[in-house]
Amino acid sequence: MEFKEFLEEWNNDENFIRAHTSGSTGCPKEILLPKYFVKESAKRTNEYFGIRKNSWLHSCVAADFIGGKMMAVRAEIARAIFTYEKPTNKPLQNLTHGTEIDLIAVVPSQVPFIIENKDVLPKIRNLLVGGSPIHPQLRKKIVESGINAYESYGMTETASHIALRKILDEETPFKLLPNISITYDKDNCLVINFEDKTEIYTNDIVELVSNTEFFIRGRRDHIIITGGRKVNPVEIESRISHLLNQPFLITGVPDEKWGEKVIMMIEGHNKDNNLRKNLNDILEKWQVPKDIFHVPTLPRTANGKLMRIKDLSFLSSFDPDNNLSS
């Protein structure tokens, strides 16, 4: 979808817009978002970043995705300037150096180029990073760059983010935007409540810091049960992320002995001979991956988000580094 098409949809007589979920935990699906609901989300973000008439908003995210759609809506309701570009991992090159953009939307894979070329690109007042988690090493580079950047939490069903946090050296809690409240269900998964009584149940395991602040600690549907013990892959990835410079995933596969066994997939073939030892030093015995697979590319959604797919039969083509723990 082009932005022109989306803006025609936004301004037509229907009371909703069509959007598609990312497919990170299953098949992508089309959903209908009420326009009043989308508008309220846009207002919250505009208020947070001080977006007004003649502010400049720019999207490096396509109109196919909720992150791109919402940038257009924010500009529409604020009567701000809106520009966009075809998404690449080398963004902003066609914009004039020395100008200042009030809010730019990107995904994490676009951030390294911006950091490396910030002296010849437009000045960024606020950089909004969404779509997938931010690797600790990228977080460190963002902080060192001095760019004023924010990480978002949200999903298509919530019409983009419901909470933001400034990107700092240490991970801080996400902070809710106005007119939203949260709680959790019996499995400690986040439940989001909106002012219009809309209630959205998520699969995101949450640690509440206060009524308005929270950490995401993984997903219910990603939990691996191995030898009767529960392993949260997101927690493991966070604990070992400093060990690798390459993208990687922790996931589980069926196993005759353990029910499921923990495995690790690493993108690329640069092997670290100390990885086995480091994993055993950091993790509990049952958390250590039984097998490590080096693959050319990891599964990703259309917008580049790493995806935990159920069908891992393609791994049969690769020889694992195995027997990391007994």
Side-chain angles (χ1 to χ4, degrees):
M1 170 179 276
E2 299 294 331
F3 275 104
K4 180 180 178 181
E5 295 175 77
F6 171 67
L7 287 171
E8 288 174 354
E9 180 184 13
W10 176 251
N11 290 305
N12 67 22
D13 292 332
E14 292 184 315
N15 294 323
F16 56 83
I17 63 168
R18 292 173 174 83
H20 293 84
T21 60
S22 68
S24 59
T25 59
C27 294
K29 62 182 180 180
E30 182 179 89
I31 62 173
L32 303 180
L33 291 173
K35 286 182 178 177
Y36 78 85
F37 187 71
V38 174
K39 188 174 182 179
E40 289 304 310
S41 173
K43 284 180 177 179
R44 285 191 288 267
T45 301
N46 283 353
E47 182 179 344
Y48 186 93
F49 289 111
I51 302 302
R52 301 288 184 266
K53 182 180 179 181
N54 296 325
S55 294
W56 183 2
L57 282 66
H58 182 81
S59 182
C60 301
V61 181
D64 297 297
F65 304 107
I66 192 65
K69 295 180 197 295
M70 292 305 302
M71 287 296 286
V73 175
R74 291 164 193 147
E76 280 278 295
I77 66 174
R79 298 174 65 191
I81 299 164
F82 178 59
T83 55
Y84 55 89
E85 61 184 78
K86 183 178 179 180
T88 72
N89 282 335
K90 295 183 177 181
L92 308 181
Q93 293 185 86
N94 295 324
L95 298 177
T96 305
H97 171 55
T99 56
E100 182 175 52
I101 305 177
D102 294 287
L103 182 63
I104 297 179
V106 297
V107 295
S109 63
Q110 296 170 320
V111 176
F113 181 83
I114 294 174
I115 292 173
E116 292 162 9
N117 296 275
K118 71 184 184 71
D119 292 335
V120 296
L121 294 175
K123 184 177 179 182
I124 300 169
R125 193 164 71 84
N126 297 293
L127 187 69
L128 180 60
V129 188
S132 61
I134 298 172
H135 191 281
Q137 290 189 359
L138 178 57
R139 182 181 302 277
K140 181 179 179 183
K141 289 179 181 178
I142 292 171
V143 173
E144 291 174 347
S145 75
I147 293 173
N148 192 43
Y150 294 83
E151 183 178 2
S152 64
Y153 171 81
M155 57 202 73
T156 304
E157 293 88 338
T158 60
S160 189
H161 52 259
I162 62 151
L164 295 164
R165 63 181 174 191
K166 187 173 173 61
I167 297 174
L168 303 170
D169 283 318
E170 299 268 333
E171 279 191 292
T172 57
F174 284 105
K175 296 184 179 181
L176 284 178
L177 296 182
N179 303 321
I180 300 170
S181 61
I182 54 173
T183 183
Y184 53 88
D185 65 14
K186 61 181 179 61
D187 295 320
N188 290 324
C189 289
L190 186 66
V191 180
I192 307 167
N193 295 280
F194 294 87
E195 198 174 33
D196 68 350
K197 308 303 181 184
T198 298
E199 189 173 59
I200 295 177
Y201 285 78
T202 77
N203 283 320
D204 292 318
I205 298 170
V206 68
E207 175 191 337
L208 295 187
V209 178
S210 70
N211 291 335
T212 58
E213 297 178 302
F214 62 94
F215 288 100
I216 296 296
R217 299 304 192 193
R219 287 184 63 87
R220 170 168 45 200
D221 46 0
H222 294 162
I223 295 297
I224 304 162
I225 301 178
T226 180
R229 294 181 181 270
K230 291 184 178 181
V231 175
N232 183 335
V234 176
E235 177 189 347
I236 301 305
E237 289 165 0
S238 177
R239 290 174 62 187
I240 67 173
S241 62
H242 64 284
L243 298 178
L244 295 104
N245 293 320
Q246 303 144 275
F248 71 95
L249 279 176
I250 299 292
T251 189
V253 295
D255 183 78
E256 182 178 353
K257 179 178 180 181
W258 303 104
E260 285 184 290
K261 66 177 178 180
V262 180
I263 68 166
M264 183 179 195
M265 293 187 288
I266 303 175
E267 190 169 87
H269 297 283
N270 297 326
K271 296 187 178 182
D272 178 357
N273 293 329
N274 294 318
L275 182 57
R276 296 186 182 194
K277 178 182 182 303
N278 290 334
L279 291 172
N280 279 295
D281 288 345
I282 293 171
L283 301 174
E284 300 292 345
K285 186 176 181 180
W286 64 86
Q287 297 173 326
V288 177
K290 302 292 185 185
D291 299 328
I292 295 180
F293 294 89
H294 289 266
V295 298
T297 58
L298 290 171
R300 284 179 167 83
T301 63
N303 64 345
K305 184 188 298 185
L306 290 176
M307 181 168 55
R308 300 176 203 275
I309 60 176
K310 293 183 179 180
D311 183 6
L312 295 173
S313 57
F314 73 93
L315 290 177
S316 61
S317 303
F318 300 93
D319 293 324
D321 297 332
N322 53 20
N323 298 321
L324 293 179
S325 72
S326 57

